[in-house]
Amino acid sequence: MENSWYSFDISPLWVVLALVAALAVSLLLYSRKKMPWSKSMNVLLGFLRFSAIFLTILLLINPLVELNQNSTNEPIIVLALDNSESVTLRESGTSLPAYNQWLKNTKTSLLDDYEVAVEGLSSDTISATDKTTNLSRLLKSLETKYEEANVGAVILASDGIVNNGQSPDYLNYKFPIYTVGLGDTIPPKDVVIQNVRNNKVAYQGNKFPIMVQLYQKGFQDQSLEVKLLENGQQIANQSISLTQATHQVDFLIEAKNAGLRRFTIQLNQLDDESSYENNQTDVYVDVIEGKDKILLLAPAPHPDLRAIRSVLEETENYETTLYIPGINEAPKEDKFDLIIEHQAFSGRKYKEFQSAGRWYIMGNQSQIRRLPEAISFLSIDMKGNQRDQVRGSYNKAFTKFKLNDELISRSANYPPIEAPFGEYTVQGPTEVLLYQQVGSITTGRPLMIFSDNGSSKTALLTGEGIWQWKLQEAGQHEESRLFDELVLKTVQYLSIKVNKDRFVVKPRESNYQIGDRVIIDTEVYNEIYERTYGNTINLTITDQSGNINTYELVDNPANSSFAIGSMEPGVYTFRATTTLAGKTFTEQGSFAVRNIQLEGINLTADHNMLRRLSQQSGGAYYPIEETDALLQQLENQDFPSVISTEKNSFPLIQSLWIVLLIFILLTIEWFLRKYLGAY
């Protein structure tokens, strides 16, 4: 039901005064006793003049006219569905046909009394194909999507097994949640690959471990064979006796060939297992030729050095060397992938070390006058020896690399660090990652700035004391992911060699997940390294079985990427070719499509979590067999309708219809007076 009305934003006194003034003028004009028309005609003419004058005065006052429109929102019942694999994996649980039939029957019953919306599906039917279960994200998305709607209740159908995101019973919701329990709450008789621990990166020639954690129930003292395969070929196996609930099986594999490698862990199938889907999983290891060498230089020890070095050593991708004259021996090597110099521009003479990338960190020993000797992209005109206490304000326009959006907000709690106070002048090809923030004001002075002149990459941090950032973040969040990401991505960007290839082909991600859209980007340059277009690029992608798919692209400024689409799990190699001025250029590489196998690890439905969720949100829990009782409760709830009012304001003088009405009133009055002989 909808209705609307108009109102003015002025005091009623103004309206009364307008009425009195209009009435006075009309009476003055039409109160004479002798008129050449009848008394009733006199009243009509007086009314016409009164109306025209009243509306004219209102226009001169020019109030805001407010249009109020009421609309009635009927209650909506939202069916939120768990579409994950775990719902239907167990034979003793909920079957897919039964789940779809439940949805059809429930929706039909609810439509008799309510508007019904279905959420959680990518199509009209339940497929139970989602690789993870994140119920908190599903429920929170409903709050956003139906913020303006009248949600009477949400019916969540799920087995209660959550393997991604927060447990939903820890959050608050704006609507009551009625849960319907799916699956089987009795622990199954099963053997499960519960977890696999392995290095993401291994170095060619080294050996790396793959540690498989198993869980079993119902197969006490039986034998189990654990196989390790690569490209379908068995490379190792172990037989164990299931004497306890959990077991760990370790494999030690030699990293022979460089490149991305896919290993499959496989358990032999035992009779009467509830599911065989969790008897196999894949792991991926990137075998690389060697570690990047990072040199840290400093005139004296400092906590910043330890903070940076601890981050680099955790990744195993970098080999760090610390050189403090008088404390450490000078490295014998003189070539490194990156040099990090703390207390930069201090005047301390080091051995001549070479690197394509450099990260300068200024401190209280840095001599600003020496800045131009090392870099040309920044100059600082200091005001005496003053130093500011500054925080870092993230520059969203920075393009060299991206920090995790969810983590950036943590930087607001970082303690301030010291930076030189003065006038900063930036020039050349630079980008600022962090600006200096003094109190609540973000200045234009860079705190962390990057420069790439085409032959070398440089970063400059104008303050010291970043070890406090790591300590503060770890104290608040029990880990320092933002600080670690800032250091790692800075080092990664600076240590990557400048690519002078005229033909560049690279996957947008080195590791895709199943269902992701695979995209491969291409870049073609002429002899002076200017980007060129109109080139025919041929691409072949080969899977592990040797099957080849061929693609062709003519690049242009709007599109220079191959959009392959989703692909089956596995490791793929690609080879791309193009021709420039009669010369053929070739690029090749590899990428992986990973199969997420979380849903088969735990197949015991958690209806207790569903009960807690319903109780805390004001709903109720029902097993799927008691859906009729749930529908009866909802029918008895009598959810109220909600009336919402939308207000729109505009100046009265903008209303053309009032001006037109005044004109019509005066025209009719003039015509009648003329007709009756008054003019």
Side-chain angles (χ1 to χ4, degrees):
M1 182 180 69
E2 294 190 5
N3 56 69
S4 60
W5 70 94
Y6 290 93
S7 62
F8 295 118
D9 71 333
I10 60 173
S11 169
L13 180 62
W14 286 103
V15 179
V16 172
L17 290 175
L19 288 170
V20 171
L23 183 61
V25 173
S26 300
L27 288 174
L28 182 65
L29 183 61
Y30 289 101
S31 62
R32 289 177 293 173
K33 293 182 178 180
K34 293 182 179 182
M35 291 291 183
W37 47 71
S38 65
K39 186 176 181 179
S40 59
M41 181 59 68
N42 196 55
V43 172
L44 174 60
L45 290 170
F47 175 76
L48 292 173
R49 178 60 63 96
F50 165 77
S51 300
I53 294 173
F54 172 68
L55 293 176
T56 302
I57 295 173
L58 280 184
L59 279 181
L60 294 174
I61 298 174
N62 192 25
L64 283 177
V65 180
E66 194 171 73
L67 172 61
N68 302 272
Q69 293 180 305
N70 276 353
S71 59
T72 303
N73 297 325
E74 300 297 336
I76 299 174
I77 303 297
V78 180
L79 289 171
L81 305 176
D82 183 347
N83 195 38
S84 63
E85 292 179 342
S86 65
V87 172
T88 59
L89 278 180
R90 285 184 68 175
E91 292 184 5
S92 60
T94 306
S95 68
L96 186 58
Y99 194 7
N100 273 297
Q101 189 61 45
W102 173 88
L103 172 61
K104 180 180 178 182
N105 295 342
T106 303
K107 186 177 180 181
T108 301
S109 299
L110 290 170
L111 283 172
D112 293 337
D113 302 301
Y114 303 105
E115 181 182 344
V116 179
V118 178
E119 299 292 342
L121 303 181
S122 56
S123 62
D124 295 333
T125 59
I126 301 167
S127 59
T129 55
D130 289 355
K131 297 295 182 180
T132 60
T133 306
N134 191 333
L135 297 181
S136 60
R137 181 174 61 191
L138 171 62
L139 294 172
K140 280 299 181 182
S141 70
L142 301 183
E143 288 190 344
T144 303
K145 184 173 182 178
Y146 295 96
E147 184 177 7
E148 303 298 329
N150 177 20
V151 177
V154 171
I155 299 176
L156 172 65
S158 173
D159 56 12
I161 302 171
V162 176
N163 50 40
N164 191 10
Q166 289 181 280
S167 182
D169 56 325
Y170 291 148
L171 303 175
N172 297 319
Y173 303 94
K174 298 178 181 178
F175 38 69
I177 300 173
Y178 294 81
T179 54
V180 175
L182 310 176
D184 193 339
T185 58
I186 300 174
K189 184 180 180 181
D190 205 3
V191 180
V192 180
I193 299 175
Q194 204 168 39
N195 189 29
V196 180
R197 292 184 295 163
N198 64 282
N199 296 349
K200 294 182 180 179
V201 176
Y203 295 95
Q204 192 173 15
N206 293 349
K207 291 186 176 182
F208 61 91
I210 296 178
M211 294 167 282
V212 185
Q213 294 178 342
L214 307 176
Y215 171 81
Q216 68 86 17
K217 181 177 177 60
F219 295 96
Q220 188 70 19
D221 297 326
Q222 292 195 33
S223 296
L224 179 71
E225 185 178 12
V226 185
K227 301 177 183 178
L228 184 65
L229 300 90
E230 183 178 15
N231 299 329
Q233 301 296 316
Q234 180 175 311
I235 59 174
N237 75 300
Q238 291 188 38
S239 294
I240 62 171
S241 178
L242 301 174
T243 57
Q244 52 193 25
T246 59
H247 290 267
Q248 179 167 307
V249 179
D250 297 338
F251 295 99
L252 193 63
I253 308 300
E254 184 178 356
K256 293 181 179 179
N257 301 318
L260 195 60
R261 297 172 65 181
R262 177 193 184 190
F263 298 93
T264 302
I265 298 144
Q266 195 176 83
L267 310 181
N268 65 304
Q269 299 179 357
L270 302 179
D271 295 337
D272 300 326
E273 283 191 68
S274 66
S275 173
Y276 294 123
E277 297 288 336
N278 47 30
N279 284 30
Q280 179 174 307
T281 190
D282 296 328
V283 296
Y284 298 82
V285 179
D286 193 5
V287 178
I288 60 179
E289 295 181 355
K291 299 183 179 182
D292 283 346
K293 296 179 180 180
I294 312 297
L295 174 63
L296 291 91
L297 298 174
H302 195 281
D304 285 351
L305 299 171
R306 180 57 194 157
I308 294 171
R309 199 175 185 186
S310 66
V311 174
L312 299 179
E313 289 176 347
E314 283 179 3
T315 67
E316 298 185 358
N317 295 349
Y318 302 102
E319 178 183 320
T320 63
T321 301
L322 176 63
Y323 176 43
I324 302 175
I327 297 179
N328 308 103
E329 292 186 6
K332 295 180 180 179
E333 297 182 69
D334 57 4
K335 291 185 178 180
F336 293 86
D337 296 290
L338 173 66
I339 295 175
I340 303 174
E341 185 177 349
H342 197 266
Q343 304 291 342
F345 326 120
S346 64
R348 176 61 66 98
K349 297 297 183 182
Y350 300 102
K351 177 183 173 183
E352 289 294 328
F353 298 107
Q354 299 178 14
S355 70
R358 204 144 189 143
W359 183 5
Y360 296 106
I361 301 175
M362 296 173 59
N364 56 19
Q365 296 187 40
S366 299
Q367 301 177 30
I368 303 302
R369 59 184 175 82
R370 294 183 177 273
L371 200 63
E373 299 174 7
I375 62 172
S376 59
F377 57 85
L378 177 69
S379 62
I380 304 175
D381 182 13
M382 281 194 69
K383 308 300 182 183
N385 291 318
Q386 295 182 24
R387 301 180 72 81
D388 263 340
Q389 293 288 323
V390 301
R391 288 185 170 88
S393 177
Y394 179 65
N395 177 21
K396 294 181 179 179
F398 185 76
T399 62
K400 301 296 186 185
F401 52 80
K402 292 296 181 183
L403 298 177
N404 190 316
D405 289 337
E406 296 179 2
L407 300 177
I408 289 172
S409 60
R410 294 185 180 184
S411 64
N413 296 320
Y414 279 178
I417 63 175
E418 280 196 349
F421 173 73
E423 184 176 339
Y424 289 62
T425 303
V426 177
Q427 58 186 6
T430 60
E431 284 195 41
V432 176
L433 173 64
L434 300 173
Y435 284 104
Q436 294 181 21
Q437 179 179 320
V438 181
S440 61
I441 300 175
T442 299
T443 70
R445 304 193 298 266
L447 179 60
M448 192 165 185
I449 185 172
F450 289 76
S451 173
D452 182 357
N453 60 14
S455 60
S456 63
K457 300 175 182 177
T458 307
L460 173 62
L461 179 65
T462 58
E464 65 175 331
I466 58 173
W467 62 272
Q468 302 171 77
W469 294 357
K470 181 177 178 65
L471 193 64
Q472 178 82 5
E473 186 179 359
Q476 288 186 333
H477 303 281
E478 298 183 355
E479 38 81 7
S480 54
R481 286 166 55 200
L482 176 60
F483 179 84
D484 295 353
E485 189 173 288
L486 173 64
V487 171
L488 285 175
K489 290 195 172 182
T490 297
V491 170
Q492 184 181 22
Y493 169 76
L494 295 173
S495 61
I496 292 176
K497 313 299 185 297
V498 177
N499 193 342
K500 287 294 185 179
D501 292 339
R502 292 176 59 190
F503 184 39
V504 179
V505 181
K506 55 186 177 183
R508 196 162 290 181
E509 302 286 344
S510 59
N511 293 291
Y512 292 94
Q513 293 183 354
I514 188 170
D516 287 350
R517 189 182 180 197
V518 176
I519 298 176
I520 298 178
D521 298 318
T522 67
E523 298 174 9
V524 182
Y525 298 89
N526 60 20
E527 292 184 356
I528 58 172
Y529 294 99
E530 294 175 331
R531 189 78 179 268
T532 65
Y533 298 99
N535 310 284
T536 300
I537 302 171
N538 295 296
L539 174 71
T540 59
I541 298 179
T542 307
D543 64 19
Q544 290 177 290
S545 300
N547 300 312
I548 299 175
N549 288 303
T550 303
Y551 307 86
E552 184 177 280
L553 169 73
V554 177
D555 64 351
N556 60 72
N559 180 31
S560 58
S561 302
F562 289 93
I564 309 300
S566 60
M567 304 179 73
E568 291 297 314
V571 174
Y572 295 84
T573 58
F574 65 86
R575 186 174 186 272
T577 60
T578 192
T579 302
L580 292 169
K583 183 179 179 180
T584 300
F585 292 81
T586 303
E587 278 284 289
Q588 54 191 13
S590 62
F591 62 89
V593 179
R594 298 173 180 266
N595 188 9
I596 305 173
Q597 295 167 306
L598 295 177
E599 289 292 310
I601 294 176
N602 177 19
L603 296 177
T604 305
D606 187 359
H607 289 188
N608 287 330
M609 187 278 291
L610 299 178
R611 288 187 179 91
R612 292 192 302 272
L613 175 60
S614 292
Q615 183 179 5
Q616 292 168 9
S617 64
Y621 159 82
Y622 292 89
I624 191 172
E625 298 82 8
E626 299 178 15
T627 301
D628 289 342
L630 166 61
L631 296 175
Q632 185 62 47
Q633 181 177 352
L634 292 177
E635 185 177 341
N636 297 334
Q637 284 293 105
D638 191 23
F639 297 108
S641 300
V642 174
I643 298 176
S644 60
T645 302
E646 181 180 356
K647 298 182 178 181
N648 294 299
S649 299
F650 56 91
L652 183 63
I653 201 168
Q654 293 182 359
S655 301
L656 182 62
W657 64 270
I658 291 185
V659 177
L660 185 61
L661 180 58
I662 293 172
F663 175 76
I664 292 172
L665 290 171
L666 294 175
T667 301
I668 294 173
E669 182 194 7
W670 175 84
F671 176 78
L672 289 174
R673 288 174 65 92
K674 185 75 173 178
Y675 178 75
L676 296 171
Y679 293 114

